[in-house]
Amino acid sequence: MEQPGIGGLKFNEPEIWEKSRKGRCAISLPKPDVQESLLDTALTADAPDLPQLSELDVVRHYTRLSQWNYGVDSGLYPLGSCTMKYNPKTNEVQAGRKGFAQAHPLCDDQFSQGSLELMYALEAFLAQITGFDAVTVQPAAGAHGELTGMLMIHRYHEKNGKQRSKIIIPDTAHGTNPASASLCGYDSVKVSSGPNGILEPCAIEAVMDEDTAGIMITNPNTLGLFETHVREICDIVHSKGGLVYGDGANMNAIMGIVKPGKIGMDVLHLNLHKTFSTPHGGGGPGAGPVAVNKILEPFLPVPRIIKESDTYKFISDLPDTIGRMHTFYGHFGVLVRAYSYILSMGAHGLCDVSKLAVLNANYIKERLKKTLNLPYDLPCMHECVFNDEKQLPVTTLDMAKRLLDYGYHPPTIYFPLVVKGAFMVEPTETESKDSLDQFIEALETIAKEAMDTPVLLKSAPHIAKVSRLDEVTAARKPCLKG
Ligand SMILES: *Cc1c(COP(=O)(O)O)cnc(C)c1O
């Protein structure tokens, strides 16, 4: 099968300043019809040194740079934990509509009824999808949602008269969980998952006490497995007065199938930029709405949107609120995309998303487990985790780099930490069987190369724009000039 990677027509492109030629200009202004007057010398002395280029120079510069990019619109992007699915363009069109895109955040409620209605309706949709009583769409990302949720748990214990000092975090939780708990002043108590990668109630029973604020459970967990004992675990935590935080960033696997609010969880965040159609990967913007049950509702951030007869308005005078988590109302454009996505998919469509995401991941798992080692061989959810045990001394890193030569963005590597040499693939529901087969074949070829010509992999990638980088230096001393 032909792989998407190619070698030709890859352009070098210098910094825009190197292309600058004095006097070149991309615009032509009409002659002034008033008398010219010179700018203040203070202004001209400090004038920025802007590059001087023709229109074609500028167009080629940015087009070439854009061709060094790789995105979901160019090919399969199997980055585990990130849900890099295709985002239908209709959602971009809706978010770009003037009434939404140019709404001014300082506009009075009475002139923003459409935007308020959209946020109000989106909160209701998300409450229904997650099975909770109330939602805020204010947080700007998944980790920001975690902080919001943990601040609410913190405020809840404070209000109950006794603050607690610890929080239970399983080894299969997302890495942002302990960081969010720590920002609220909690110490993390690490709990190991059982031999099949799932949390065991007895392990929670052993550590849960009355100085523990609760637990943060990522479900499906970072091994791509569904935590089957959530109900028992919630009962154990609740019986000692603790609360259960659900990390719902992986909702793409269970949307329409499981309602976390109905299986005992108290609070949950979603990643709209993963599950609900916002392109991501370049650092934002995103949105991390938080859904809560009745117990935590009074602590939600302000402002909240309410509906009085036919009018929507913001209210802020709520005595127990944790306060504001973001300026204005969060990342409104992301909310429009999510709203449009939910309406265009419909309830059945959202269910199909989860079923197909799980089917695709299980297809990859079953077809590749002969080729790559699969440490936890259970039916998976939206992603599956292999490692390099069969290929060593060729490593996960070598295989990921070689995938670039075949035209793929590599999967997530060396995460989750519970699997040594992890190679985590999340295909998402938007890939067809053809594109999964093509990807599987690329990995089978790479596994064969690992046996026959390991040197080839050790020095991969060979036809990418740059070859192997010194990643430590790149992280410690980033060169941001291009
Ligand atoms: C992506 C992810 C997060 C963090 O989300 P951000 O928007 O990147 O802050 C948290 N938990 C899980 C399980 C995730 O997959």
Side-chain angles (χ1 to χ4, degrees), residues 81 141-144 146 174 176-177 218 247 249-250 269 271 273-274:
S81 191
H144 198 211
E146 290 170 32
H174 197 264
T176 45
N177 290 187
T218 302
D247 181 330
N250 295 331
H269 81 264
N271 276 35
H273 46 294
K274 289 179 181 167

Side-chain angles (χ1 to χ4, degrees), residues 264-276:
M265 291 178 160
D266 299 292
V267 43
L268 175 108
H269 81 264
L270 296 167
N271 276 35
L272 295 191
H273 46 294
K274 289 179 181 167
T275 313
F276 295 94

Side-chain angles (χ1 to χ4, degrees), residues 80-83 140-146 172-177 180 217-222 245 247-251 269-274 280 286-288 382-383 415 424 426:
S81 191
C82 294
T83 313
H144 198 211
E146 290 170 32
T172 48
H174 197 264
T176 45
N177 290 187
S180 304
I217 305 180
T218 302
N219 194 23
N221 67 27
T222 52
Y245 185 96
D247 181 330
N250 295 331
M251 195 73 192
H269 81 264
L270 296 167
N271 276 35
L272 295 191
H273 46 294
K274 289 179 181 167
H280 68 292
H382 58 302
E383 59 197 5
F415 179 85
M424 176 161 64
E426 179 179 5

Side-chain angles (χ1 to χ4, degrees), residues 278-320:
T278 279
H280 68 292
V290 176
V292 292
N293 62 13
K294 279 265 176 271
I295 300 177
L296 287 176
E297 187 172 351
F299 306 102
L300 280 169
V302 287
R304 294 202 58 203
I305 308 166
I306 58 160
K307 186 178 179 189
E308 264 177 9
S309 61
D310 276 340
T311 310
Y312 298 89
K313 62 179 208 178
F314 282 120
I315 49 164
S316 291
D317 53 343
L318 297 169
D320 291 327

